[in-house]
Amino acid sequence: VTCVALTGLLQHRLAHADSRLRPPGALDEEAFLAACIKCGQCVQVCPIRAIRLGDLEEGLGNGVPYLVARDQACDFSCDATQCILACPTGALSHLIDKKEQVKMGVAKLAAPDACLARQGKGWKGTARGPAYPGVLRYAEIDRWKAQSVAGHPYDLPLCDLCVRHCPIEGAISLEPLPGDPGSARRTPVVARSCVGCGVCEMMCPSEPVAIRIEVTTTGREPEGRHA
């Protein structure tokens, strides 16, 4: 009994210590870990298979759901956030702080020097290369069914993939660099409406990735705007 209890405590502490991007509507981390029964229902209903279940060896807590946005972001393909509807315990909830939009985190420009738009550069080819397995909902092709990212090449005079594919209108924009309004260069600016879905991180063609999702307390709005 003692071993079982210690194992559970270890899983809890490992998961808490290594903060990961949780599915939409996740409670604050402590409450989420307490409420989640690791049933995997959220994984089963995710239409793009973005949600994973943690492994104890990864330090994520055995069976605790999380996402890796760089590999596969949540693009809200299901619209009604099916993972929340499937959660039997309320660990994922539409009612957090009575917000109209559930939040997962907030996008931050993690590597400004890597951003192509800030360099005034475009992008030609697929966003992540021909072998990338991720999918994305391209509304102009199919409103509901996500398509292969590797099957969509681009020829952009100025890279705007983070803005172009953001599923939340107005959550991210490209704006002139401060003090250099006449330049063709632009910088991503994140608005308060960002929900941290991770599409910008997934679609960024730069290596290292220029923009990343910062995990925040669920329901807490980011302070101001983030260039």
Side-chain angles (χ1 to χ4, degrees):
V1 176
T2 301
C3 290
V4 172
L6 288 174
T7 299
L9 179 61
L10 175 61
Q11 291 180 10
H12 175 85
R13 287 183 174 175
L14 285 172
H16 184 61
D18 192 276
S19 181
R20 293 298 175 106
L21 190 64
R22 300 301 183 193
L27 304 176
D28 288 346
E29 190 71 358
E30 287 285 350
F32 172 75
L33 292 172
C36 176
I37 59 173
K38 307 171 183 63
C39 64
Q41 291 295 316
C42 54
V43 176
Q44 294 182 36
V45 300
C46 180
I48 55 174
R49 299 182 180 180
I51 304 174
R52 305 177 180 184
L53 294 180
D55 189 310
L56 181 60
E57 294 181 358
E58 299 172 342
L60 301 172
N62 193 25
V64 179
Y66 72 103
L67 294 85
V68 178
R70 188 64 172 157
D71 294 345
Q72 178 61 63
C74 171
D75 74 345
F76 292 91
S77 289
C78 58
D79 283 325
T81 44
Q82 293 298 318
C83 55
I84 297 178
L85 298 178
C87 181
T89 67
L92 306 178
S93 174
H94 277 117
L95 302 178
I96 297 173
D97 281 359
K98 299 182 179 179
K99 300 290 183 183
E100 293 183 2
Q101 184 65 270
V102 295
K103 290 183 179 291
M104 302 165 66
V106 63
K108 291 289 185 74
L109 194 57
D113 291 342
C115 177
L116 296 177
R118 288 178 63 92
Q119 299 174 45
K121 295 181 180 179
W123 180 256
K124 188 171 184 177
T126 59
R128 300 288 306 281
Y132 177 64
V135 297
L136 182 71
R137 177 175 58 176
Y138 296 85
E140 68 277 10
I141 298 174
D142 191 319
R143 176 70 177 79
W144 304 106
K145 186 178 180 180
Q147 310 289 321
S148 170
V149 172
H152 291 267
Y154 301 88
D155 190 357
L156 306 174
L158 184 70
C159 182
D160 67 348
L161 291 175
C162 58
V163 176
R164 179 182 296 258
H165 294 301
C166 177
I168 308 300
E169 185 175 357
I172 187 170
S173 60
L174 289 182
E175 299 187 8
L177 287 170
D180 195 10
S183 173
R185 298 183 299 158
R186 294 290 184 269
T187 187
V189 174
V190 179
R192 296 175 68 87
S193 54
C194 172
V195 299
C197 65
V199 169
C200 55
E201 180 177 338
M202 180 179 79
M203 295 301 291
C204 178
S206 299
E207 291 292 349
V209 60
I211 192 165
R212 286 190 177 277
I213 301 302
E214 179 180 281
V215 177
T216 59
T217 300
T218 306
R220 179 184 298 163
E221 300 220 0
E223 295 296 329
R225 299 165 62 152
H226 309 273

